[in-house]
Amino acid sequence: LRPGQLVGESVVGRMHDPERVAALRRALAGARVTGEFEHGGHTFDAVTMPAHDASGEVTGITGIAVDVTERKQLEDDLRAAADRSRLLFDASPQPMWVVDLETLRFLDVNHAALERYGYDRDEVLGLTLDAISPTEALSEKLAAADWTVTCASGGASRLKALAGEPDRVNLVYHGLDLSRFPRFAGWS
């Protein structure tokens, strides 16, 4: 479409999608209608509202549609990446968990961790890391370990403080912003 191409024409007559026609008819009846529609391989966010004359009578509709095709594709790609990350987390044979670094509360745990440590998911999600491994026990484990790896700077600092030999604690990855992934947003 070109700017001005449809001015003066009946938009309802040009629409073939029954849902879009119904939305336009609601706008002609006086309602402000928002929604998303697809046309010509593109996705649009649209707002349609009644146009009024000086006496307040609805004389037509006015609307704005913004092409959001690229944004929708990026959202789909991000969702797919989050799904792959979730699959790797869930299917890993290595026990894994996600812990809030401030409260040490478990936010999630994979199946391998549940199997290895003998907890069920609801039980773990109600606990903190300290409840499972109190500071004293953690210090003993660190003293006996040849080396320890953690994946967050807060975890590395805490473990180094508890370890008899801080150089045994190694940081292999600094932070993972899970809030970037819609499915993981509840973790942060």
Side-chain angles (χ1 to χ4, degrees), residues 82-96:
D83 288 345
R84 286 189 303 273
S85 295
R86 183 70 205 197
L87 180 62
L88 288 170
F89 177 81
D90 287 340
S92 174
Q94 182 68 33
M96 297 170 65

Side-chain angles (χ1 to χ4, degrees), residues 25 30 129 141 175:
R25 291 196 188 283
L129 185 58
K141 289 176 186 174

Side-chain angles (χ1 to χ4, degrees), residues 102-119:
E102 289 181 29
T103 65
L104 299 180
R105 184 178 62 82
F106 284 96
L107 300 174
D108 203 358
V109 61
N110 73 352
H111 182 71
L114 297 174
E115 287 286 318
R116 180 159 187 190
Y117 300 113
Y119 288 95

Side-chain angles (χ1 to χ4, degrees), residues 90-173:
D90 287 340
S92 174
Q94 182 68 33
M96 297 170 65
W97 49 86
V98 178
V99 176
D100 181 305
L101 291 178
E102 289 181 29
T103 65
L104 299 180
R105 184 178 62 82
F106 284 96
L107 300 174
D108 203 358
V109 61
N110 73 352
H111 182 71
L114 297 174
E115 287 286 318
R116 180 159 187 190
Y117 300 113
Y119 288 95
D120 67 33
R121 182 172 305 282
D122 292 336
E123 189 176 11
V124 170
L125 297 182
L127 297 173
T128 64
L129 185 58
D130 285 336
I132 290 177
S133 189
T135 300
E136 305 78 40
L138 198 50
S139 292
E140 290 172 17
K141 289 176 186 174
L142 288 168
D146 289 330
W147 55 271
T148 302
V149 175
T150 183
C151 294
S153 63
S157 299
R158 182 166 183 268
L159 292 177
K160 283 182 182 213
L162 293 172
E165 296 179 44
D167 58 335
R168 287 182 168 179
V169 177
N170 300 288
L171 176 66
V172 294
Y173 186 82

Side-chain angles (χ1 to χ4, degrees), residues 22-127:
L24 295 174
R25 291 196 188 283
R26 287 195 307 277
L28 284 169
R32 182 177 190 269
V33 182
T34 61
E36 195 174 271
F37 70 94
E38 293 192 11
H39 180 75
H42 290 264
T43 303
F44 297 88
D45 273 341
V47 177
T48 308
M49 56 204 113
H52 302 275
D53 64 14
S55 68
E57 190 76 24
V58 175
T59 58
I61 57 174
T62 185
I64 299 170
V66 177
D67 188 339
V68 295
T69 306
E70 186 177 337
R71 186 195 80 207
K72 296 295 283 184
Q73 183 61 52
L74 291 171
E75 288 172 354
D76 290 346
D77 293 348
L78 186 58
R79 241 184 318 281
D83 288 345
R84 286 189 303 273
S85 295
R86 183 70 205 197
L87 180 62
L88 288 170
F89 177 81
D90 287 340
S92 174
Q94 182 68 33
M96 297 170 65
W97 49 86
V98 178
V99 176
D100 181 305
L101 291 178
E102 289 181 29
T103 65
L104 299 180
R105 184 178 62 82
F106 284 96
L107 300 174
D108 203 358
V109 61
N110 73 352
H111 182 71
L114 297 174
E115 287 286 318
R116 180 159 187 190
Y117 300 113
Y119 288 95
D120 67 33
R121 182 172 305 282
D122 292 336
E123 189 176 11
V124 170
L125 297 182
L127 297 173

